[in-house]
Amino acid sequence: MAQFQDVSKQSGLHPKPPGLVLQYGTAGFRTNAKLLDHIMFRMGLLATLRSKKTKATIGVMVTASHNPEEDNGVKLVDPMGEMVTPTWEGYATQLANAEQEDLLAALKDIIEEEAINMSQEADVFVGKDTRSSSASLSKAVLDGVSALGGRNKDYGLVTTPQLHYMVCCQNTQGKYGEATVEGYYKKLCQAFIQLTKNASNCTDDQKHLSVDGANGIGALKVREMESYLKKELHISLFNDGSAGKLNHQCGADFVKVQQNPPTGINSGERCCSFDGDADRIVYYYTDSEGQFHLLDGDKVATLISTFLKELLTQAGIDLEIAVVQTAYANGSSTNYLEDTMKVIVRCAKTGVKHLHHAAQEFDIGVYFEANGHGTVLFSKAAEEKIRQLAEDSIADDERKRAALLLQDTINVINQVSDRRAIDTTDAERRAVSPTGLQEAIDTLVKKYSQARSFVRPSGTEDVVRVYAEADTQESADALAHEVSLAVYRLAGGVGGEPKPLH
């Protein structure tokens, strides 16, 4: 195939050092930048295959997050902005470690294993952080994409959350937002402004925040975002990249480990630090006696869940809210959440993907690792209940105000979803989430003779499997289509609505 000839030719420009072995983990690949050129080219290839397989846009972010400046790394972003599936993490490792002469064979193995249609179009979004090595390494990714005939969009310098946002926007055809940096700023800042307008007793001094940009991409993007905040937040930016090294004596990881403010910032009442790619954040302050106080992920999760629980009570909405922690969580935060706030606390294995999965089991799931990684997930059913109350013309003012605040909170949070929005029981024959899906399936099944149907998340792909049977082929096809529409509408489907088979 001509495509493979191009891959063979291009890969010669990005040769693998013999014997080098790297493992794709939660943070993707990460090591000294000088060892990564071949990895980047091959992740461009893999992202193109993933796009062909999912028939969706895939993201590739070039960054090493909180690592020293001489390092770099890469991670893939799946269609709904989530991390790539475990099976494809394995493919990433397999492709990265194939010796130069074995690359095409490794590539063909993945294509055969996943039954990928190579004539399917592919789209890949690429972003990078401010490291000096990121420009050439992102170019290697783009080379990999083009070698397999994929289309690319190079977003250039963006934070990791921004690239995740772009991918999600693209694959929801704009339902999540506009797939531009400006669209990102507008969505988040408008929601933030609405939140602050409704906040009680918000004084001018509470509108000031000192931000440590870790001499990285976060500093650059905070500067761009300031004008969208319309003076509702006054930012003093430190470690903005004009002097000093990336992540050196600054950034979220430094503050958390050292339990001290970063270099260059005089810790006052309201301070925060990003990490190198701005997907972690920790808050801190110094009290009147000069004592340093860190608000790490445990405290952030506690504050957010407390805020949400109070709003749900004011709104009179019955939703199950939970905080997901790991064994490393501070025991006092666990006790406070369970005993005082009466919030469910679920313990999960360490790692964002485990926390994320556990958080999806609830109407509202809050998780933040101690290092500042985290988010809040709202189920589709929770979002719908909140929306209905916010738009209810006869609801009393207090309930409606609380619902509007909850809506703004949803919009200011960069949440992503995946196929695991569907959870099952009874040997995968009945869906327990999202709310209302199983009831919809039961209603549809009653329309047909000798019929049954069930759905389950695929174990290997970012798709949902739909099974249907009935007394005739025509009825089975119709039932399968109606159930797939119910899945699409209740579980946050990607792309256009499923079409009938005939």
Side-chain angles (χ1 to χ4, degrees):
M1 292 173 67
Q3 281 176 320
F4 292 126
Q5 289 175 359
D6 200 18
V7 169
S8 185
K9 179 182 175 183
Q10 289 279 340
S11 69
L13 303 175
H14 305 281
K16 175 187 179 292
L20 178 66
V21 176
L22 294 172
Q23 178 78 31
Y24 191 103
T26 300
F29 290 110
R30 201 176 288 182
T31 189
N32 188 285
K34 294 176 182 177
L35 301 174
L36 284 172
D37 183 70
H38 73 291
I39 293 284
M40 298 296 176
F41 174 75
R42 295 176 184 199
M43 290 309 99
L45 297 175
L46 190 67
T48 307
L49 293 183
R50 183 71 177 148
S51 178
K52 289 176 183 288
K53 176 66 179 180
T54 60
K55 299 180 183 178
T57 298
I58 298 297
V60 180
M61 184 68 195
V62 177
T63 182
S65 190
H66 64 277
N67 278 38
E69 192 167 6
E70 58 270 20
D71 287 352
N72 217 319
V74 61
K75 44 193 170 187
L76 272 62
V77 180
D78 251 4
M80 292 305 290
E82 75 276 28
M83 292 178 290
V84 74
T85 62
T87 300
W88 282 72
E89 286 183 3
Y91 293 151
T93 300
Q94 177 184 330
L95 202 59
N97 293 328
E99 295 302 334
Q100 198 68 18
E101 62 274 15
D102 301 324
L103 176 59
L104 287 184
L107 202 62
K108 290 174 182 177
D109 283 347
I110 297 169
I111 293 167
E112 184 178 337
E113 182 72 24
E114 291 291 325
I116 295 170
N117 176 9
M118 292 304 290
S119 64
Q120 172 68 39
E121 294 183 338
D123 291 278
V124 178
F125 286 177
V126 180
K128 62 177 181 284
D129 70 12
T130 55
R131 295 165 198 271
S132 58
S133 60
S134 290
S136 63
L137 292 178
S138 65
K139 174 64 168 59
V141 173
L142 297 170
D143 287 349
V145 175
S146 63
L148 273 179
R151 296 178 298 217
N152 67 72
K153 183 166 185 177
D154 184 2
Y155 277 93
L157 293 168
V158 287
T159 68
T160 294
Q162 284 177 329
L163 187 70
H164 283 251
Y165 167 88
M166 306 301 177
V167 171
C168 187
C169 289
Q170 184 70 14
N171 288 320
T172 56
Q173 284 149 4
K175 289 180 182 176
Y176 190 69
E178 181 188 334
T180 64
V181 173
E182 183 182 25
Y184 177 89
Y185 295 144
K186 281 182 177 178
K187 179 182 178 179
L188 270 66
C189 291
Q190 284 171 6
F192 176 79
I193 289 167
Q194 285 301 116
L195 271 175
T196 54
K197 277 182 180 176
N198 284 287
S200 57
N201 305 317
C202 187
T203 59
D204 284 344
D205 65 306
Q206 290 174 331
K207 292 182 178 181
H208 181 262
L209 180 67
S210 295
V211 178
D212 162 27
N215 290 316
I217 186 67
L220 186 66
K221 296 303 170 179
V222 163
R223 277 282 181 247
E224 291 179 3
M225 189 174 68
E226 276 186 291
S227 62
Y228 295 88
L229 289 166
K230 297 180 180 177
K231 299 184 179 178
E232 287 302 314
L233 181 65
H234 306 295
I235 294 172
S236 296
L237 184 60
F238 299 86
N239 299 316
D240 63 357
S242 59
K245 290 177 65 176
L246 177 69
N247 293 325
H248 180 63
Q249 296 188 331
C250 60
D253 198 57
F254 173 86
V255 173
K256 179 186 175 296
V257 172
Q258 300 298 324
Q259 295 284 307
N260 274 308
T263 299
I265 192 169
N266 295 319
S267 179
E269 289 189 0
R270 295 172 178 274
C271 309
C272 69
S273 288
F274 287 121
D275 67 345
D277 62 338
D279 70 346
R280 290 188 192 180
I281 192 168
V282 294
Y283 290 84
Y284 47 93
Y285 65 94
T286 301
D287 62 24
S288 57
E289 297 178 359
Q291 184 69 34
F292 176 82
H293 297 270
L294 175 67
L295 277 66
D296 61 7
D298 290 334
K299 291 181 180 176
V300 170
T302 301
L303 287 168
I304 289 175
S305 58
T306 300
F307 172 71
L308 292 174
K309 182 76 182 290
E310 289 173 352
L311 286 180
L312 289 172
T313 301
Q314 290 168 19
I317 302 176
D318 183 21
L319 292 173
E320 192 173 53
I321 182 170
V323 175
V324 183
Q325 299 182 325
T326 71
Y328 294 95
N330 185 292
S332 296
S333 70
T334 307
N335 294 337
Y336 175 79
L337 288 165
E338 289 182 327
D339 301 338
T340 304
M341 290 309 302
K342 308 300 181 187
V343 168
I344 298 167
V345 177
R346 174 68 56 84
C347 190
K349 289 194 286 188
T350 303
V352 171
K353 59 186 175 185
H354 301 300
L355 291 161
H356 192 93
H357 181 56
Q360 288 176 314
E361 297 175 13
F362 303 92
D363 294 320
I364 302 175
V366 183
Y367 72 87
F368 279 86
E369 291 183 298
N371 63 24
H373 267 138
T375 191
V376 183
L377 300 179
F378 291 80
S379 70
K380 295 297 177 186
E383 288 190 16
E384 181 60 19
K385 278 189 178 182
I386 293 165
R387 185 193 65 77
Q388 287 178 355
L389 178 56
E391 295 175 1
D392 188 346
S393 58
I394 60 172
D396 65 64
D397 289 346
E398 184 183 3
R399 290 187 67 212
K400 195 162 185 174
R401 175 182 171 276
L404 288 168
L405 283 170
L406 284 165
Q407 269 196 325
D408 291 329
T409 303
I410 291 169
N411 286 331
V412 86
I413 291 168
N414 200 15
Q415 56 172 340
V416 294
S417 59
D418 62 20
R419 68 189 186 284
R420 289 167 296 189
I422 291 180
D423 196 15
T424 60
T425 188
D426 190 18
E428 298 188 323
R429 290 179 296 184
R430 295 189 66 78
V432 295
S433 68
T435 303
L437 177 58
Q438 188 58 52
E439 290 81 358
I441 294 172
D442 291 341
T443 301
L444 292 168
V445 165
K446 288 175 184 176
K447 292 171 58 179
Y448 300 91
S449 177
Q450 298 176 43
R452 70 187 185 101
S453 181
F454 60 86
V455 301
R456 68 173 181 85
S458 168
T460 57
E461 302 173 52
D462 237 9
V463 296
V464 175
R465 307 288 186 196
V466 176
Y467 175 88
E469 64 181 53
D471 60 341
T472 67
Q473 185 65 54
E474 183 181 18
S475 293
D477 290 345
L479 175 58
H481 176 242
E482 289 189 273
V483 171
S484 67
L485 280 174
V487 171
Y488 177 89
R489 290 164 182 168
L490 292 170
V494 177
E497 287 192 342
K499 298 291 190 293
L501 289 173
H502 307 292

